Amino acid sequence: RDGTPLGLMTLVAPGHIDLAFVRPSAAGQGIGAELLAALTQIARASGARELTADVSKAARPFFERHGFYVLRQQSVIRRGVALINYAMQKPL
């Protein structure tokens, strides 16, 4: 918006969402949903049968609203601190 990126998502190998971020000032405006819809189309065109993502506690409700379910809870160490995230999946 006005030259400022509002969000980003990256897709790797062929159905894993590696990064997902929406600027807090743009939250709730459908930016994440639009990005996810675009990645879903790309994943399907690449032959993916599912989307997967490792999702933070904060992002989990967004992904659940969009059809993802939790496979397992995980603990990731970042700078010596254990952070909880969730391996999630959505069939395509």
Side-chain angles (χ1 to χ4, degrees), residues 8-91:
L8 65 94
M9 280 190 192
T10 61
L11 186 67
V12 295
H16 183 74
I17 297 171
D18 186 46
L19 297 172
F21 175 78
V22 173
R23 216 177 260 282
S25 63
Q29 298 176 25
I31 305 298
E34 287 184 42
L35 292 168
L36 182 57
L39 286 190
T40 299
Q41 288 180 352
I42 293 167
R44 282 188 177 126
S46 298
R49 295 183 153 192
E50 62 194 23
L51 284 175
T52 60
D54 296 320
V55 175
S56 70
K57 285 183 178 182
R60 180 179 169 179
F62 167 83
F63 281 89
E64 287 177 329
R65 279 194 308 275
H66 292 279
F68 284 75
Y69 59 90
V70 174
L71 294 171
R72 67 186 164 279
Q73 180 176 306
Q74 306 175 127
S75 181
V76 179
I77 306 298
R78 294 285 187 258
R79 296 183 181 174
V81 176
L83 303 172
I84 300 299
N85 74 8
Y86 303 92
M88 297 188 78
Q89 181 176 9
K90 174 185 178 174

